[in-house]
Amino acid sequence: MLLVLMSNKAAAQQKDTLNQNSKVVVQTDTTKPLMRADSLVRLAPPVYDSKVDSVVKVHSPRKAAIRSAILPGWGQIYNGKYWKLPIVYGALGVSGYVFFTNIQTYRDLRFAYQAKYKASLPVQNPNDPSQRGPFRDTSDLIRIKPEYMPYDQESLRYNRNNFRKYIDYSFLFFIALWGLNVVDATVDAHLKAFDVSPDLSLRFKAGYFDVARTGGVGLVLTFK
């Protein structure tokens, strides 16, 4: 019986020793602190193209559109397309000139028609109290422009109505050109985000061509 107890005690001591040894092994493996997965994500540097990101920030299509809508050509200046300014101001200047010219011509024709209409009215008879006006008035005839004097009343009325339409057309044309100015600035701002390399070369190259099985001179286009 004593031998059994001693063997059990020795087995228990051996088991405790094994447990202590296993603990030591575990402690030895954990000498280096483990890093959490989320900390690894935070330490990883962001991956992005700084060149494209800076281009997108600087050249905003929204800013280009708003500036061109406020002042024609401002969006082109914002995009660095200075060579487009003469085109923008030339188109808007011509359409604006046509618009204001049509307005002035319409006013002159209207005045000439009204002056000739008043001159064609019946003359007032002071001896006829039953006569009703309006009556003839020729005071405005001398104020008609010389180029409109040969026209009769009906021709003046016809041309006056035509120039009234021309005013509407020229105004719509001016607005359309203003809108094209905004669209052009917006599209240029969008294209700023594309990295198009200007490294293009076109050169002649002499050599042997396997396809034709003969020598010759070729034209080589290189772009990077």
Side-chain angles (χ1 to χ4, degrees):
M1 186 68 180
L2 181 60
L3 293 175
V4 172
L5 292 176
M6 290 179 64
S7 63
N8 291 336
K9 184 176 181 181
Q13 289 179 354
Q14 185 177 4
K15 184 177 181 180
D16 293 339
T17 304
L18 292 175
N19 291 335
Q20 289 178 0
N21 292 334
S22 62
K23 289 181 181 180
V24 171
V25 171
V26 171
Q27 290 178 359
T28 303
D29 293 338
T30 58
T31 53
K32 294 183 180 181
L34 297 177
M35 298 181 67
R36 296 176 60 184
D38 57 350
S39 64
L40 293 175
V41 174
R42 289 197 300 268
L43 293 176
V47 178
Y48 63 91
D49 191 345
S50 60
K51 185 176 181 181
V52 174
D53 185 63
S54 62
V55 169
V56 173
K57 284 183 179 179
V58 173
H59 297 282
S60 170
R62 183 172 179 271
K63 290 182 179 181
I66 293 176
R67 296 185 181 191
S68 290
I70 295 174
L71 180 64
W74 193 6
Q76 282 73 17
I77 296 175
Y78 173 74
N79 292 330
K81 298 298 181 68
Y82 300 101
W83 62 272
K84 291 186 177 182
L85 292 179
I87 300 175
V88 172
Y89 287 114
L92 291 176
V94 171
S95 61
Y97 172 78
V98 172
F99 173 70
F100 287 107
T101 301
N102 288 336
I103 291 178
Q104 185 60 45
T105 305
Y106 167 76
R107 290 175 178 175
D108 294 338
L109 289 169
R110 183 181 61 181
F111 178 80
Y113 170 76
Q114 291 174 351
K116 289 201 172 186
Y117 172 76
K118 290 188 292 183
S120 65
L121 294 174
V123 180
Q124 182 180 9
N125 186 2
N127 297 324
D128 187 4
S130 63
Q131 190 178 14
R132 303 296 180 184
F135 302 107
R136 181 179 298 180
D137 182 8
T138 59
S139 60
D140 290 338
L141 290 176
I142 59 175
R143 297 171 55 190
I144 297 177
K145 288 188 175 182
E147 58 266 28
Y148 301 130
M149 286 298 297
Y151 294 96
D152 59 5
Q153 184 178 334
E154 186 62 25
S155 298
L156 291 172
R157 186 183 67 84
Y158 176 79
N159 286 284
R160 179 203 64 181
N161 295 338
N162 283 339
F163 271 90
R164 184 65 185 87
K165 297 177 184 178
Y166 298 158
I167 292 174
D168 297 336
Y169 296 153
S170 57
F171 177 75
L172 292 176
F173 190 67
F174 180 82
I175 295 299
L177 289 176
W178 195 305
L180 287 176
N181 151 71
V182 176
V183 172
D184 175 75
T186 306
V187 171
D188 278 343
H190 276 291
L191 294 178
K192 282 288 185 179
F194 293 93
D195 184 14
V196 180
S197 175
D199 187 8
L200 300 175
S201 61
L202 184 65
R203 58 189 177 86
F204 291 96
K205 181 180 180 181
Y208 180 79
F209 298 95
D210 295 332
V211 177
R213 294 183 178 181
T214 183
V217 179
L219 190 63
V220 179
L221 174 63
T222 304
F223 58 91
K224 297 178 180 180

